[in-house]
Amino acid sequence: MSIFTKIFGDPNNKIIKSLEPIVEKINGLEKKYQAMSDDELRAMTINFRAIIGVNNQTKAIDGDLKAIERGLEEILPDAFAVVREAGKRTIGQRHFDVQLMGGIILHRGQIAEMKTGEGKTLVATLAAYLNALPAQGVHVITVNDYLAKRDVGWMGQIYNFLGLTVGCVTHEKAFVYDLKDNQLKEVLRKEAYNCDITYGTNNEFGFDYLRDNMASDLARMVQRPASKSKDRLFGGGLNYVIIDEVDSILIDEARTPLIISAPAEESTDKYYKFSELVKKLEENKDYNIDEKMRAATLTEVGIAKLEKWLGVDNIYVADGLSDVHHIEQALKAMTLFKKDRDYVVKEGEVIIVDEFTGRLMHGRRYSEGLHQAIEAKEAVSIQKESQTLATITFQNYFRIYKKLSGMTGTAVTEAEEFFKIYNLETVVIPTNKQMIRNDMNDLVYCSEIGKFKAVIKEIKARHAIGQPVLIGTISIEKNEILGDMLEREGISAQILNAKHHEKEASIIIQAGKFGAITIATNMAGRGVDIVLGGLSASEEDRAKVIAVGGLHVIGTERHESRRIDNQLRGRAGRQGDPGSSQFYVSTEDDLMRIFGGDRMKSLMLALRVPEDMPIENRMISKAIESAQTKVEGNNFDIRKHLVEYDDVINKHRESIYRRRREILEQAEFEAKEGEGNEENISNKKTLSNIILEMTENEIEQVVVFHTSAENISDWNLEEIYQVVSTIFSIDKKLKDELTSFTDDGGKFDKVKARTKIIEHLIKLAEENYKKLSQNAILSGINWKEIEKAILLRSMDSMWIEHLDAIDHMRRGIGLRGYGQRDPLVEYKKEAYLMYNELNSLIQKQVVYSIFKVGDVSQFAASDLDRIPKQFSAPAKKMFEGANINQNNQQSAVSIFNLIKEKVKDASGQKVGRNDSCPCGSGKKYKKCCGQ
């Protein structure tokens, strides 16, 4: 206990004490709602909505948003009492007092740490119901699709009983809970999001957000539209979210972004070639490995060898830079990425294994050629490289929500990170019953084989008396080794790893049966409680297991994160049940070896400690904990580093997505209200006006740039004429007109002359644009769709290039640290300039394209709708993430190919790629404006 705590008391206890009067009030209302009929109880939802100012017919908020927030606080005791009563009547479960406390913490936008088995799934119903009353949508995040569907079918009974709609989104489908049939009904994704409460995984919600911001029409967007209100709590869009297993989602999976990508280039044989070459290199001579940093680097000797084998003088010349990159990736694939630990090979495909959950991450691919290098190493078919179309980190996605909350069994060790990055406070909720699990000291062995022998011996001893045993491993490889060793001893065990993750829930739920032995990756089956005696166990079965000590958990290795170890321990001793846990560690384990295990091993060898004899030493336990703390601190720094950099691009993303949505909203408004008639459109910011404003800005920039000289003789009026002629068709007499504006009776007023030129050119642009749009309308063409498509294409294409450019800049910015400059500050400066350039390029794309649209009848929608999209979950390291391979995908086409194909010259003839460019430069079109 710290001195601060001794003087001021435990702040967590103070929070718990402050919740007790609210819980007492909820308990005092229990008899009131018990006496109500089902219909009367259901009607309380309508009453609650009326109290907080929600129109029950339109679901619109009639009152002030802050008043609604205060209203929710006032009705909280009644609302929680109603949910508790509904839970008893529908699923036969009554919320405990500690669960009510958890619900209050979730409603307040905080993290509730509740031990395994305390019923977090039921806790979520309290805060979800209360925050769904304003009819703005509540999202509940689970760790996998199975849990999302399970929770909707289970908790959906409570919500539907109270008159709320509930749905879920999974990887391929969407469902709503149908109370009449008491089952899930498949629906469109948009319908699931329009429910009062929507369950799903973090990946699905994040990808839907990105997809919505790539849509070419509002009708194709599935999530609720964002509110224009600045209020922090309500208003639609991403309103309120509850994240189950919040540490896994906001910490473990937050190191890399979600990415939507498309194939960019064909694979080559170089991957196989480089994979074979790096196998010839020798460690510590040709290359060095830094396991702490997960890095492998070539030495001068290694570089010289590669240059000789490749037949080049200098591998770092311009043409070889990409080769250097792919060689480094091949080396990394060979030395740092191990089969059945980091990935598995299944049906000719390399599939990443999540290091935290042990699950196969189908669709996840490493970027920057690393995945291809692993494919070459394993001699399987190599898939294509990818181009990023849209990306966002989990940190920035979840910070979009107006109110964020979460629950988990292990959060307090990461409380600092939750507060600093997400502004989330962590509150530890007491258990419903006192925990009596026996957590024993670690046993440390000299060798890994000695450790495994001791584990097998312990399993046999406990199995002999019928005690159920759960063995946790950190990799699939170790999982299968233990399984084989047990099989040789004649003991049958259930193997639970990523290769059979679809069965994990049904396997893990039976791990508490008498005599059961289950070997699982450390976090497999997370979210599913292990019940003593097994699923639907009788009191006799439970008593039998309790008599032999309950579930015993064995950890075969310490994870780099204490949270993961605590999660494993937490599988035993739920709801006051007996249980025990113990970790078996060897000096050859990765954590021990990397952080000083060699010295310990040397000491044990010197003392001639047998390989199967353990040692228990407080100093060793402290060393292990110190190593874990160091790794956790390093990972926190990585995530903090990531979010600092991503905050910059996030501002760009918000700006582009907001402008993009404004275009879609305006296009829909004009289609519904304007019907092509400008006079019927009340909003002055029409699509036409947006384009004309861009045109005016572009013309002004061109004129100002070429008239910046003090002397008129230095003004480049010819260049102004040439540039404007590339924007829209002009008469040759414009040259004379421009010259006349600089002659003011012998007097030369630079500002006045420049203004006249700009105003005249803008007038010409407006006349050309009006003529262009009228001709299109007379031809029966929807000109508004053309305007929308041009604006979206320009924004989408430039945004894709911006993402690529800023990613390249980010990779190299660290080198500026050698010049005593802060890389983050430099990154912000460069990113600011690149953002200005992005806006300038969008403007140029629109202005230099819209006037050149010829045969618009063939004009298609945004290329983002036509590019075959590939979606990836986050990769395992910072800034890694790539694509899912799909069959028969074509390379992404240039965003403006369709426009370029329709460019016509002054006579109205279509300009071919090898024709002279109509801008008058004398170059071929493909080498000039057609580039």
Side-chain angles (χ1 to χ4, degrees):
M1 183 181 292
S2 68
I3 295 175
F4 182 87
T5 303
K6 286 180 181 178
I7 297 172
F8 297 101
D10 187 345
N12 193 84
N13 286 341
K14 289 183 178 180
I15 295 172
I16 298 301
K17 288 284 184 185
S18 71
L19 299 178
E20 289 175 355
I22 305 174
V23 172
E24 288 177 10
K25 192 172 182 180
I26 297 168
N27 289 336
L29 293 165
E30 189 163 16
K31 289 184 178 179
K32 172 186 173 181
Y33 292 111
Q34 276 180 342
M36 285 188 175
S37 67
D38 288 356
D39 289 339
E40 288 173 327
L41 197 64
R42 190 174 297 111
M44 288 306 301
T45 298
I46 298 173
N47 294 341
F48 290 148
R49 282 181 162 166
I51 291 170
I52 62 174
V54 174
N55 187 312
N56 281 292
Q57 299 300 318
T58 63
K59 300 297 186 292
I61 298 174
D62 296 331
D64 175 72
L65 297 181
K66 290 183 179 178
I68 292 174
E69 183 179 356
R70 291 192 297 270
L72 286 185
E73 286 291 336
E74 291 171 8
I75 65 171
L76 184 149
D78 285 273
F80 277 28
V82 164
V83 175
R84 174 191 265 180
E85 183 60 29
K88 287 192 292 183
R89 297 188 190 187
T90 54
I91 62 174
Q93 293 190 13
R94 177 185 179 275
H95 295 78
F96 301 129
D97 287 359
V98 292
Q99 289 176 316
L100 297 176
M101 290 181 178
I104 297 167
I105 293 302
L106 292 180
H107 166 67
R108 291 179 177 177
Q110 298 173 326
I111 292 175
E113 180 181 287
M114 303 181 73
K115 299 300 180 187
T116 301
E118 290 296 302
K120 292 188 289 292
T121 306
L122 189 62
V123 170
T125 60
L126 298 162
Y129 172 78
L130 179 63
N131 286 273
L133 291 174
Q136 299 300 307
V138 171
H139 292 169
V140 183
I141 308 294
T142 63
V143 294
N144 58 48
D145 287 344
Y146 163 78
L147 291 176
K149 290 181 68 176
R150 182 203 72 176
D151 292 353
V152 169
W154 185 13
M155 299 299 143
Q157 299 174 63
I158 297 175
Y159 301 127
N160 271 188
F161 178 83
L162 293 173
L164 297 185
T165 55
V166 58
C168 76
V169 290
T170 64
H171 181 55
E172 295 177 343
K173 298 177 181 179
F175 305 89
V176 296
Y177 179 75
D178 190 336
L179 182 62
K180 293 179 181 178
D181 298 329
N182 194 28
Q183 63 182 11
L184 296 182
K185 180 176 69 174
E186 189 173 341
V187 295
L188 295 174
R189 218 168 179 82
K190 194 166 190 171
E191 189 176 339
Y193 276 111
N194 282 334
C195 288
D196 293 305
I197 299 164
T198 308
Y199 282 76
T201 65
N202 49 319
N203 284 347
E204 291 309 308
F205 282 104
F207 279 135
D208 282 338
Y209 170 78
L210 292 176
R211 283 187 283 251
D212 277 359
N213 286 287
M214 295 168 64
S216 61
D217 196 286
L218 286 178
R220 300 189 185 191
M221 302 175 81
V222 295
Q223 292 186 341
R224 289 177 182 235
S227 168
K228 295 178 182 178
S229 168
K230 294 181 180 179
D231 191 90
R232 283 289 298 165
L233 186 59
F234 302 114
L238 301 180
N239 178 46
Y240 173 61
V241 62
I242 300 171
I243 304 176
D244 192 12
E245 308 298 359
V246 66
D247 57 322
S248 176
I249 291 169
L250 294 189
I251 302 292
D252 297 334
E253 296 191 35
R255 274 191 274 180
T256 46
L258 291 166
I259 293 174
I260 293 181
S261 59
E265 61 183 50
E266 294 293 332
S267 304
T268 67
D269 293 332
K270 284 186 177 181
Y271 291 110
Y272 294 113
K273 182 179 180 180
F274 294 151
S275 181
E276 291 302 315
L277 289 180
V278 296
K279 290 176 183 176
K280 300 179 183 179
L281 300 176
E282 300 176 43
E283 186 180 353
N284 297 327
K285 182 179 179 183
D286 301 322
Y287 63 87
N288 294 317
I289 297 175
D290 187 338
E291 289 192 80
K292 290 183 183 179
M293 299 298 293
R294 294 279 286 175
T297 54
L298 291 166
T299 64
E300 290 291 334
V301 175
I303 292 169
K305 282 186 179 180
L306 287 166
E307 288 173 341
K308 182 180 178 182
W309 294 337
L310 293 170
V312 297
D313 295 329
N314 186 349
I315 200 172
Y316 286 93
V317 295
D319 291 340
L321 282 177
S322 63
D323 287 353
V324 174
H325 170 73
H326 288 303
I327 288 170
E328 290 173 344
Q329 295 293 58
L331 181 63
K332 193 175 179 182
M334 180 186 75
T335 58
L336 297 174
F337 289 79
K338 305 298 181 186
K339 184 178 178 181
D340 286 337
R341 185 191 71 182
D342 300 296
Y343 63 90
V344 297
V345 178
K346 194 173 182 180
E347 297 177 357
E349 184 180 357
V350 172
I351 306 171
I352 297 172
V353 174
D354 190 287
E355 63 179 308
F356 299 104
T357 65
R359 294 189 180 95
L360 294 187
M361 302 305 290
H362 291 279
R364 177 189 288 183
R365 288 178 64 83
Y366 300 120
S367 63
E368 301 174 14
L370 177 59
H371 208 97
Q372 287 83 353
I374 295 173
E375 288 169 332
K377 167 189 170 184
E378 298 296 338
V380 299
S381 177
I382 295 175
Q383 311 301 338
K384 296 175 182 178
E385 292 276 14
S386 64
Q387 177 187 35
T388 298
L389 303 182
T391 177
I392 192 170
T393 59
F394 281 129
Q395 286 104 324
N396 276 316
Y397 172 70
F398 283 111
R399 289 193 300 180
I400 297 172
Y401 282 88
K402 299 172 186 68
K403 188 162 71 167
L404 171 64
S405 65
M407 49 190 182
T408 181
T410 49
V412 76
T413 57
E414 311 293 346
E416 180 188 4
E417 180 167 354
F418 282 125
F419 185 75
K420 286 186 175 179
I421 292 183
Y422 302 99
N423 196 30
L424 283 171
E425 292 185 358
T426 301
V427 179
V428 180
I429 307 297
T431 56
N432 184 49
K433 296 179 181 177
Q434 185 179 356
M435 192 184 74
I436 59 173
R437 186 182 68 234
N438 179 21
D439 295 328
M440 294 176 274
N441 292 330
D442 294 358
L443 298 177
V444 183
Y445 294 82
C446 183
S447 67
E448 186 175 61
I449 189 64
K451 175 185 72 175
F452 282 151
K453 286 179 180 178
V455 169
I456 297 298
K457 185 177 179 182
E458 179 71 6
I459 293 171
K460 289 176 68 177
R462 293 188 181 270
H463 183 61
I465 62 172
Q467 184 175 13
V469 182
L470 173 66
I471 304 99
T473 66
I474 67 167
S475 69
I476 297 172
E477 180 186 18
K478 303 294 172 60
N479 193 301
E480 293 179 339
I481 288 172
L482 274 173
D484 291 341
M485 291 178 74
L486 277 174
E487 193 174 331
R488 287 197 293 271
E489 294 291 332
I491 297 175
S492 176
Q494 286 281 7
I495 307 295
L496 178 60
N497 59 33
K499 291 186 176 180
H500 305 286
H501 70 278
E502 63 275 5
K503 301 176 183 177
E504 67 181 29
S506 58
I507 294 175
I508 202 75
I509 206 167
Q510 299 291 357
K513 289 181 70 174
F514 186 81
I517 297 177
T518 310
I519 305 175
T521 47
N522 277 1
M523 287 172 57
R526 190 170 180 177
V528 180
D529 288 338
I530 298 175
V531 182
L532 295 189
L535 185 65
S536 304
S538 65
E539 285 301 318
E540 185 180 341
D541 292 333
R542 272 182 53 80
K544 195 175 177 183
V545 174
I546 289 172
V548 294
L551 179 68
H552 180 64
V553 172
I554 295 176
T556 59
E557 196 167 333
R558 282 285 193 173
H559 195 275
E560 65 178 34
S561 170
R562 288 171 294 171
R563 285 182 302 103
I564 310 301
D565 292 342
N566 292 337
Q567 283 285 348
L568 181 61
R569 285 193 194 275
R571 306 317 297 256
R574 63 181 294 278
Q575 284 291 329
D577 286 340
S580 53
S581 70
Q582 189 164 40
F583 278 84
Y584 287 69
V585 181
S586 87
T587 58
E588 295 176 351
D589 293 347
D590 288 344
L591 186 71
M592 297 287 286
R593 180 172 49 78
I594 294 171
F595 290 93
D598 288 343
R599 294 192 300 273
M600 201 179 302
K601 184 175 183 179
S602 299
L603 177 63
M604 294 178 76
L605 289 173
L607 296 174
R608 297 185 179 180
V609 177
E611 68 174 15
D612 60 347
M613 179 182 290
I615 61 170
E616 292 183 65
N617 187 291
R618 284 186 62 190
M619 188 173 68
I620 293 175
S621 297
K622 282 186 176 181
I624 294 172
E625 189 172 332
S626 174
Q628 289 178 310
T629 305
K630 286 179 183 177
V631 176
E632 287 168 359
N634 181 58
N635 288 340
F636 175 32
D637 289 340
I638 290 174
R639 291 186 291 267
K640 187 169 178 287
H641 191 64
L642 168 65
V643 81
E644 286 174 341
Y645 279 87
D646 194 62
D647 279 345
V648 178
I649 191 69
N650 193 54
K651 290 175 182 174
H652 301 181
R653 182 190 299 112
E654 288 175 353
S655 173
I656 291 295
Y657 285 178
R658 183 177 61 253
R659 288 167 59 191
R660 200 179 188 282
R661 186 173 187 99
E662 286 171 356
I663 290 168
L664 292 175
E665 288 174 346
Q666 181 60 27
E668 183 178 72
F669 173 76
E670 292 181 25
K672 289 180 179 178
E673 304 296 328
E675 298 180 353
N677 188 344
E678 295 290 338
E679 294 178 1
N680 293 334
I681 301 174
S682 59
N683 186 354
K684 293 182 180 179
K685 200 73 172 178
T686 63
L687 298 183
S688 296
N689 288 342
I690 292 171
I691 293 172
L692 284 172
E693 185 179 331
M694 289 182 172
T695 306
E696 292 171 11
N697 292 337
E698 189 66 24
I699 288 172
E700 187 173 349
Q701 287 177 18
V702 170
V703 173
V704 169
F705 182 79
H706 292 293
T707 60
S708 59
E710 288 293 328
N711 299 320
I712 188 170
S713 58
D714 295 326
W715 281 23
N716 197 338
L717 301 179
E718 174 66 26
E719 190 60 32
I720 293 174
Y721 170 81
Q722 293 292 347
V723 173
V724 173
S725 69
T726 65
I727 298 176
F728 53 83
S729 299
I730 55 176
D731 197 292
K732 288 185 178 179
K733 68 178 183 180
L734 179 62
K735 289 183 182 179
D736 298 330
E737 291 173 346
L738 294 178
T739 303
S740 69
F741 292 136
T742 62
D743 184 11
D744 190 13
K747 296 179 181 180
F748 176 62
D749 186 328
K750 185 170 72 171
V751 175
K752 189 176 180 180
R754 182 185 295 127
T755 302
K756 283 184 176 181
I757 293 172
I758 292 171
E759 288 177 347
H760 183 68
L761 292 176
I762 288 174
K763 183 180 178 182
L764 290 176
E766 290 173 347
E767 290 173 355
N768 270 270
Y769 192 80
K770 186 176 182 181
K771 183 179 178 182
L772 180 67
S773 59
Q774 286 176 342
N775 288 339
I777 293 170
L778 288 173
S779 301
I781 294 165
N782 188 338
W783 181 247
K784 294 300 175 187
E785 280 297 312
I786 302 301
E787 289 178 321
K788 183 184 79 170
I790 288 284
L791 286 166
L792 291 183
R793 281 194 180 182
S794 302
M795 205 168 287
D796 292 342
S797 62
M798 292 301 100
W799 176 242
I800 291 169
E801 291 187 15
H802 180 71
L803 287 175
D804 187 53
I806 211 161
D807 183 53
H808 278 85
M809 186 267 288
R810 162 69 186 87
R811 290 180 215 162
I813 205 74
L815 296 174
R816 301 200 184 178
Y818 292 107
Q820 303 302 310
R821 289 181 287 177
D822 186 338
L824 180 58
V825 173
E826 293 296 306
Y827 177 76
K828 289 179 179 178
K829 289 179 181 177
E830 293 285 347
Y832 175 73
L833 295 175
M834 292 173 72
Y835 177 68
N836 289 336
E837 181 66 15
L838 167 65
N839 288 323
S840 176
L841 288 171
I842 291 172
Q843 178 174 288
K844 287 182 184 296
Q845 286 281 29
V846 172
V847 173
Y848 288 85
S849 301
I850 190 68
F851 290 93
K852 295 183 177 69
V853 176
D855 181 13
V856 294
S857 61
Q858 298 293 318
F859 205 84
S862 171
D863 273 11
L864 283 180
D865 286 328
R866 301 187 297 109
I867 294 173
K869 301 182 191 74
Q870 308 172 37
F871 308 105
S872 69
K876 294 171 72 174
K877 293 296 170 185
M878 190 166 60
F879 296 109
E880 291 178 0
N883 57 311
I884 297 174
N885 177 59
Q886 298 176 353
N887 293 328
N888 303 319
Q889 290 182 325
Q890 303 298 319
S891 296
V893 297
S894 171
I895 295 295
F896 275 82
N897 274 353
L898 286 177
I899 295 174
K900 291 174 182 175
E901 289 171 3
K902 298 174 180 62
V903 174
K904 297 185 179 182
D905 60 18
S907 64
Q909 296 298 312
K910 182 178 173 181
V911 178
R913 285 176 48 76
N914 292 308
D915 294 340
S916 296
C917 190
C919 74
S921 65
K923 298 179 182 178
K924 288 184 177 181
Y925 174 68
K926 67 181 180 182
K927 294 290 187 180
C928 188
C929 296
Q931 274 192 299

